[in-house]
Amino acid sequence: QVQLQESGPGLVKPLQTLSLTCAVRGGSITTTDYWWNWIRQSPGKGLEWLGQITNRGYTAYNPALKSRTSISKDTSKNQFTLQMNSLKPNDTGVYYCGAGSGMAIMNPPPGRYRYWGQGTQVIVSS
């Protein structure tokens, strides 16, 4: 049973950089069984896929956010990280990490995630 746990600051000022980490427990981040995603939900909106990283380190991003988003992984710590710069108030939301299963695709539907983290609230405000 894989467990995912997000961590990071709950409050970030506009124009600052957000850094969130997802710790993977009960499985290895190098497995070929899953690919590792970041998703968010802003107030009053649906789920928004931010990007992903595969076991080999290949990344893909939401085109609308690609210029501000970077995802990396640390195999030694069995975790992967989201960095988003130039934050705006409408980046406020709950940020989730998710393990996708099957063939990796961009913007996967919720049903493609085998495991989810519990989510972490991020507020962008001065």
Side-chain angles (χ1 to χ4, degrees), residues 41-78:
Q41 186 164 25
S42 299
K45 297 183 180 180
L47 294 172
E48 181 179 29
W49 175 75
L50 304 180
Q52 69 192 206
I53 187 165
T54 70
N55 66 309
R56 293 187 177 186
Y58 297 127
T59 54
Y61 300 100
N62 182 325
L65 300 168
K66 185 177 181 179
S67 64
R68 300 196 290 128
T69 306
S70 177
I71 297 174
S72 60
K73 65 182 178 73
D74 186 331
T75 302
S76 67
K77 295 182 179 179
N78 214 37

Side-chain angles (χ1 to χ4, degrees), residues 5 8 11 14 22-23 32 35 37 40 52-53 61 66 70 82-85 88 92 100 102 108 116:
Q5 178 66 59
L11 179 64
C22 180
T32 56
W35 24 286
N37 298 265
R40 72 181 180 187
Q52 69 192 206
I53 187 165
Y61 300 100
K66 185 177 181 179
S70 177
L82 168 74
Q83 285 200 318
M84 183 176 288
N85 58 38
K88 308 169 187 177
T92 292
W116 290 82

